[in-house]
Amino acid sequence: MGWTPRSAEILRAVAAYQLAQEALAASFAARWAKALAAVEAREVAGSLSELEAAYAAAVRESAAASYALSISFYRLVRALETGRVIGGPGYRPGASLGSLWQDFNSLTGKRTGSGPRTPLPVDTRNPFPAEDLKREAERAAETFRHQVADRVAKHERERAGRGSAALDDAELMAWEREFLESLKTGGSGAGGMLVQDGGRDMIHTTLQNDPGALGYYRKTDANPCYFCALMAGRGAIYKSKRTAAFGAHPHCHCQAVPIFSRRYQLPAANDRFSRMWRDFGGGSLADWRTYYSKTTKT
Ligand SMILES: [Zn+2]
């Protein structure tokens, strides 16, 4: 009661969170690129199980970081918006805006904000689901199969079909390079999605368990695709019994930002996408795609 949402601080936290999630996907991608770089194109098929182990370990590590970061972010935004602190993993007695900012700053590695040390009133419930390690491992295995193992098998078949004299050296090298590049891009895009889902899916589920949460909106990266811009332009999605899945895609760095007060404030980009949608005036998704790419290019 009587608490005014600290909108400017919240928007700073939201921007820092989106960048930190994007950085987790990037560090995962770098790790995957390094694992691939250690193998010659002709050795990839024989090294699949090592590559898969490296892939799974990198997903696990970065997704765990995303999970911890996202809990800290959720708790911070909730406190800035309502003046109350929520229990669950990482909760410490006597938590204040100062201590919540400190936790968040240390997980993002940047000092984005600070606050008073006055302990906040506590909602003791724990709305945060535990990490679903089994499901995550299954998704990582499935992603690896689609993005890496299947491509390797296809490449091996093509190589066998070609015979030894079909390509000269330069062509052959370019072909192998392109193959390795496709493993790198495909594996990092889909894996980066799993990494960010460690936190993104968690927040989406937590909303449903937290009576204090009203819904969420989509915070995009600096250069979102037409689909994500459209979703962000819709503003807040109030939660219901059947809140639809978040709908991230490979190479997407959009995040779910929880809201706890009708007085929430959207980032400027979301308002810009709403205006763009109104100016567009309706049409098919394909029309919107054309309109969006024309409008954002100029
Ligand atoms: Zn996106």
Side-chain angles (χ1 to χ4, degrees), residues 200 218-221 224-225 227-229 246-249 251-255:
R200 206 156 39 191
R218 192 183 199 90
K219 163 73 179 169
T220 66
D221 58 28
C225 71
F227 171 79
C228 290
F246 183 76
H249 56 81
H251 303 290
C252 163
H253 305 110
C254 293
Q255 311 302 330

PDB file of all heavy atoms in Angstrom, residues 200 218-221 224-225 227-229 246-249 251-255, ligand 1:
ATOM      1  N   ARG A 200      13.972 -18.126 -18.938  1.00  0.00           N
ATOM      2  CA  ARG A 200      12.755 -17.642 -19.593  1.00  0.00           C
ATOM      3  C   ARG A 200      11.548 -18.522 -19.251  1.00  0.00           C
ATOM      4  O   ARG A 200      10.503 -18.031 -18.838  1.00  0.00           O
ATOM      5  CB  ARG A 200      13.014 -17.679 -21.103  1.00  0.00           C
ATOM      6  CG  ARG A 200      12.223 -16.737 -21.919  1.00  0.00           C
ATOM      7  CD  ARG A 200      12.916 -16.418 -23.242  1.00  0.00           C
ATOM      8  NE  ARG A 200      13.597 -17.535 -23.896  1.00  0.00           N
ATOM      9  CZ  ARG A 200      14.418 -17.379 -24.942  1.00  0.00           C
ATOM     10  NH1 ARG A 200      14.646 -16.189 -25.444  1.00  0.00           N
ATOM     11  NH2 ARG A 200      15.018 -18.403 -25.482  1.00  0.00           N
ATOM     12  N   ARG A 218       7.049  -8.759 -23.401  1.00  0.00           N
ATOM     13  CA  ARG A 218       8.234  -9.246 -24.097  1.00  0.00           C
ATOM     14  C   ARG A 218       9.242  -8.114 -24.252  1.00  0.00           C
ATOM     15  O   ARG A 218       8.922  -7.076 -24.818  1.00  0.00           O
ATOM     16  CB  ARG A 218       7.811  -9.742 -25.482  1.00  0.00           C
ATOM     17  CG  ARG A 218       8.853 -10.545 -26.236  1.00  0.00           C
ATOM     18  CD  ARG A 218       8.293 -10.893 -27.606  1.00  0.00           C
ATOM     19  NE  ARG A 218       8.988 -11.989 -28.239  1.00  0.00           N
ATOM     20  CZ  ARG A 218       8.661 -13.285 -28.121  1.00  0.00           C
ATOM     21  NH1 ARG A 218       7.639 -13.620 -27.368  1.00  0.00           N
ATOM     22  NH2 ARG A 218       9.347 -14.217 -28.740  1.00  0.00           N
ATOM     23  N   LYS A 219      10.439  -8.340 -23.729  1.00  0.00           N
ATOM     24  CA  LYS A 219      11.533  -7.388 -23.935  1.00  0.00           C
ATOM     25  C   LYS A 219      12.414  -7.965 -25.036  1.00  0.00           C
ATOM     26  O   LYS A 219      12.978  -9.045 -24.891  1.00  0.00           O
ATOM     27  CB  LYS A 219      12.320  -7.230 -22.636  1.00  0.00           C
ATOM     28  CG  LYS A 219      13.693  -6.603 -22.765  1.00  0.00           C
ATOM     29  CD  LYS A 219      13.644  -5.120 -23.045  1.00  0.00           C
ATOM     30  CE  LYS A 219      15.070  -4.546 -23.148  1.00  0.00           C
ATOM     31  NZ  LYS A 219      15.050  -3.176 -23.670  1.00  0.00           N
ATOM     32  N   THR A 220      12.519  -7.232 -26.150  1.00  0.00           N
ATOM     33  CA  THR A 220      13.286  -7.761 -27.280  1.00  0.00           C
ATOM     34  C   THR A 220      14.752  -7.341 -27.178  1.00  0.00           C
ATOM     35  O   THR A 220      15.109  -6.473 -26.382  1.00  0.00           O
ATOM     36  CB  THR A 220      12.754  -7.217 -28.620  1.00  0.00           C
ATOM     37  OG1 THR A 220      12.999  -5.821 -28.673  1.00  0.00           O
ATOM     38  CG2 THR A 220      11.272  -7.483 -28.784  1.00  0.00           C
ATOM     39  N   ASP A 221      15.589  -7.934 -28.017  1.00  0.00           N
ATOM     40  CA  ASP A 221      16.964  -7.447 -28.151  1.00  0.00           C
ATOM     41  C   ASP A 221      16.941  -6.199 -29.041  1.00  0.00           C
ATOM     42  O   ASP A 221      15.876  -5.717 -29.437  1.00  0.00           O
ATOM     43  CB  ASP A 221      17.893  -8.542 -28.687  1.00  0.00           C
ATOM     44  CG  ASP A 221      17.460  -9.082 -30.033  1.00  0.00           C
ATOM     45  OD1 ASP A 221      16.816  -8.335 -30.804  1.00  0.00           O
ATOM     46  OD2 ASP A 221      17.761 -10.252 -30.333  1.00  0.00           O
ATOM     47  N   PRO A 224      15.140  -7.029 -33.149  1.00  0.00           N
ATOM     48  CA  PRO A 224      14.295  -8.233 -33.186  1.00  0.00           C
ATOM     49  C   PRO A 224      13.729  -8.517 -34.582  1.00  0.00           C
ATOM     50  O   PRO A 224      13.649  -7.606 -35.412  1.00  0.00           O
ATOM     51  CB  PRO A 224      13.150  -7.890 -32.232  1.00  0.00           C
ATOM     52  CG  PRO A 224      13.047  -6.405 -32.307  1.00  0.00           C
ATOM     53  CD  PRO A 224      14.452  -5.897 -32.501  1.00  0.00           C
ATOM     54  N   CYS A 225      13.348  -9.748 -34.804  1.00  0.00           N
ATOM     55  CA  CYS A 225      12.692 -10.118 -36.059  1.00  0.00           C
ATOM     56  C   CYS A 225      11.255  -9.587 -36.045  1.00  0.00           C
ATOM     57  O   CYS A 225      10.742  -9.151 -35.015  1.00  0.00           O
ATOM     58  CB  CYS A 225      12.708 -11.632 -36.231  1.00  0.00           C
ATOM     59  SG  CYS A 225      11.608 -12.517 -35.121  1.00  0.00           S
ATOM     60  N   PHE A 227       8.438 -11.051 -36.143  1.00  0.00           N
ATOM     61  CA  PHE A 227       7.522 -11.778 -35.260  1.00  0.00           C
ATOM     62  C   PHE A 227       7.639 -11.265 -33.825  1.00  0.00           C
ATOM     63  O   PHE A 227       6.652 -10.967 -33.162  1.00  0.00           O
ATOM     64  CB  PHE A 227       7.821 -13.285 -35.322  1.00  0.00           C
ATOM     65  CG  PHE A 227       7.077 -14.091 -34.301  1.00  0.00           C
ATOM     66  CD1 PHE A 227       5.738 -14.424 -34.488  1.00  0.00           C
ATOM     67  CD2 PHE A 227       7.700 -14.504 -33.125  1.00  0.00           C
ATOM     68  CE1 PHE A 227       5.044 -15.154 -33.537  1.00  0.00           C
ATOM     69  CE2 PHE A 227       7.009 -15.246 -32.169  1.00  0.00           C
ATOM     70  CZ  PHE A 227       5.683 -15.567 -32.377  1.00  0.00           C
ATOM     71  N   CYS A 228       8.888 -11.162 -33.347  1.00  0.00           N
ATOM     72  CA  CYS A 228       9.116 -10.723 -31.974  1.00  0.00           C
ATOM     73  C   CYS A 228       8.686  -9.272 -31.783  1.00  0.00           C
ATOM     74  O   CYS A 228       8.152  -8.907 -30.736  1.00  0.00           O
ATOM     75  CB  CYS A 228      10.577 -10.927 -31.585  1.00  0.00           C
ATOM     76  SG  CYS A 228      10.980 -12.678 -31.405  1.00  0.00           S
ATOM     77  N   ALA A 229       8.908  -8.435 -32.798  1.00  0.00           N
ATOM     78  CA  ALA A 229       8.480  -7.042 -32.713  1.00  0.00           C
ATOM     79  C   ALA A 229       6.958  -6.963 -32.566  1.00  0.00           C
ATOM     80  O   ALA A 229       6.429  -6.172 -31.773  1.00  0.00           O
ATOM     81  CB  ALA A 229       8.932  -6.278 -33.954  1.00  0.00           C
ATOM     82  N   PHE A 246       5.778 -18.915 -24.393  1.00  0.00           N
ATOM     83  CA  PHE A 246       6.425 -17.643 -24.706  1.00  0.00           C
ATOM     84  C   PHE A 246       6.728 -17.497 -26.198  1.00  0.00           C
ATOM     85  O   PHE A 246       6.624 -16.417 -26.761  1.00  0.00           O
ATOM     86  CB  PHE A 246       7.707 -17.501 -23.874  1.00  0.00           C
ATOM     87  CG  PHE A 246       8.400 -16.195 -24.088  1.00  0.00           C
ATOM     88  CD1 PHE A 246       7.914 -15.032 -23.521  1.00  0.00           C
ATOM     89  CD2 PHE A 246       9.535 -16.116 -24.886  1.00  0.00           C
ATOM     90  CE1 PHE A 246       8.538 -13.814 -23.721  1.00  0.00           C
ATOM     91  CE2 PHE A 246      10.167 -14.907 -25.093  1.00  0.00           C
ATOM     92  CZ  PHE A 246       9.672 -13.752 -24.516  1.00  0.00           C
ATOM     93  N   GLY A 247       7.133 -18.578 -26.840  1.00  0.00           N
ATOM     94  CA  GLY A 247       7.354 -18.506 -28.291  1.00  0.00           C
ATOM     95  C   GLY A 247       8.685 -17.891 -28.688  1.00  0.00           C
ATOM     96  O   GLY A 247       8.735 -17.014 -29.541  1.00  0.00           O
ATOM     97  N   ALA A 248       9.758 -18.335 -28.055  1.00  0.00           N
ATOM     98  CA  ALA A 248      11.089 -17.909 -28.493  1.00  0.00           C
ATOM     99  C   ALA A 248      11.493 -18.784 -29.683  1.00  0.00           C
ATOM    100  O   ALA A 248      10.855 -19.793 -29.964  1.00  0.00           O
ATOM    101  CB  ALA A 248      12.102 -18.067 -27.368  1.00  0.00           C
ATOM    102  N   HIS A 249      12.530 -18.385 -30.396  1.00  0.00           N
ATOM    103  CA  HIS A 249      13.017 -19.168 -31.533  1.00  0.00           C
ATOM    104  C   HIS A 249      14.537 -19.089 -31.533  1.00  0.00           C
ATOM    105  O   HIS A 249      15.104 -18.239 -30.848  1.00  0.00           O
ATOM    106  CB  HIS A 249      12.425 -18.627 -32.832  1.00  0.00           C
ATOM    107  CG  HIS A 249      12.702 -17.163 -33.046  1.00  0.00           C
ATOM    108  ND1 HIS A 249      13.891 -16.704 -33.553  1.00  0.00           N
ATOM    109  CD2 HIS A 249      11.975 -16.057 -32.751  1.00  0.00           C
ATOM    110  CE1 HIS A 249      13.882 -15.384 -33.594  1.00  0.00           C
ATOM    111  NE2 HIS A 249      12.724 -14.955 -33.100  1.00  0.00           N
ATOM    112  N   HIS A 251      18.258 -18.052 -32.135  1.00  0.00           N
ATOM    113  CA  HIS A 251      18.851 -16.729 -32.370  1.00  0.00           C
ATOM    114  C   HIS A 251      17.959 -15.595 -31.879  1.00  0.00           C
ATOM    115  O   HIS A 251      18.111 -14.455 -32.298  1.00  0.00           O
ATOM    116  CB  HIS A 251      19.204 -16.519 -33.846  1.00  0.00           C
ATOM    117  CG  HIS A 251      20.135 -17.557 -34.392  1.00  0.00           C
ATOM    118  ND1 HIS A 251      21.460 -17.635 -34.019  1.00  0.00           N
ATOM    119  CD2 HIS A 251      19.934 -18.602 -35.233  1.00  0.00           C
ATOM    120  CE1 HIS A 251      22.028 -18.656 -34.632  1.00  0.00           C
ATOM    121  NE2 HIS A 251      21.122 -19.273 -35.362  1.00  0.00           N
ATOM    122  N   CYS A 252      16.998 -15.891 -31.024  1.00  0.00           N
ATOM    123  CA  CYS A 252      16.096 -14.886 -30.446  1.00  0.00           C
ATOM    124  C   CYS A 252      16.568 -14.595 -29.023  1.00  0.00           C
ATOM    125  O   CYS A 252      16.827 -15.518 -28.256  1.00  0.00           O
ATOM    126  CB  CYS A 252      14.667 -15.432 -30.438  1.00  0.00           C
ATOM    127  SG  CYS A 252      13.495 -14.593 -29.362  1.00  0.00           S
ATOM    128  N   HIS A 253      16.709 -13.315 -28.692  1.00  0.00           N
ATOM    129  CA  HIS A 253      17.169 -12.952 -27.353  1.00  0.00           C
ATOM    130  C   HIS A 253      16.099 -12.194 -26.589  1.00  0.00           C
ATOM    131  O   HIS A 253      16.396 -11.372 -25.726  1.00  0.00           O
ATOM    132  CB  HIS A 253      18.460 -12.150 -27.432  1.00  0.00           C
ATOM    133  CG  HIS A 253      19.535 -12.855 -28.205  1.00  0.00           C
ATOM    134  ND1 HIS A 253      19.965 -12.425 -29.444  1.00  0.00           N
ATOM    135  CD2 HIS A 253      20.221 -13.982 -27.940  1.00  0.00           C
ATOM    136  CE1 HIS A 253      20.887 -13.267 -29.903  1.00  0.00           C
ATOM    137  NE2 HIS A 253      21.064 -14.217 -29.014  1.00  0.00           N
ATOM    138  N   CYS A 254      14.843 -12.444 -26.930  1.00  0.00           N
ATOM    139  CA  CYS A 254      13.739 -11.815 -26.207  1.00  0.00           C
ATOM    140  C   CYS A 254      13.607 -12.450 -24.826  1.00  0.00           C
ATOM    141  O   CYS A 254      13.862 -13.636 -24.662  1.00  0.00           O
ATOM    142  CB  CYS A 254      12.426 -12.040 -26.945  1.00  0.00           C
ATOM    143  SG  CYS A 254      12.337 -11.212 -28.521  1.00  0.00           S
ATOM    144  N   GLN A 255      13.157 -11.641 -23.870  1.00  0.00           N
ATOM    145  CA  GLN A 255      12.962 -12.145 -22.512  1.00  0.00           C
ATOM    146  C   GLN A 255      11.546 -11.844 -22.043  1.00  0.00           C
ATOM    147  O   GLN A 255      10.921 -10.896 -22.516  1.00  0.00           O
ATOM    148  CB  GLN A 255      13.968 -11.495 -21.550  1.00  0.00           C
ATOM    149  CG  GLN A 255      15.412 -11.531 -22.033  1.00  0.00           C
ATOM    150  CD  GLN A 255      15.922 -12.945 -22.292  1.00  0.00           C
ATOM    151  OE1 GLN A 255      15.485 -13.903 -21.645  1.00  0.00           O
ATOM    152  NE2 GLN A 255      16.836 -13.091 -23.248  1.00  0.00           N
TER     153      GLN A 255
HETATM  154 ZN    ZN B   1      12.838 -12.654 -30.270  1.00  0.00          ZN
END
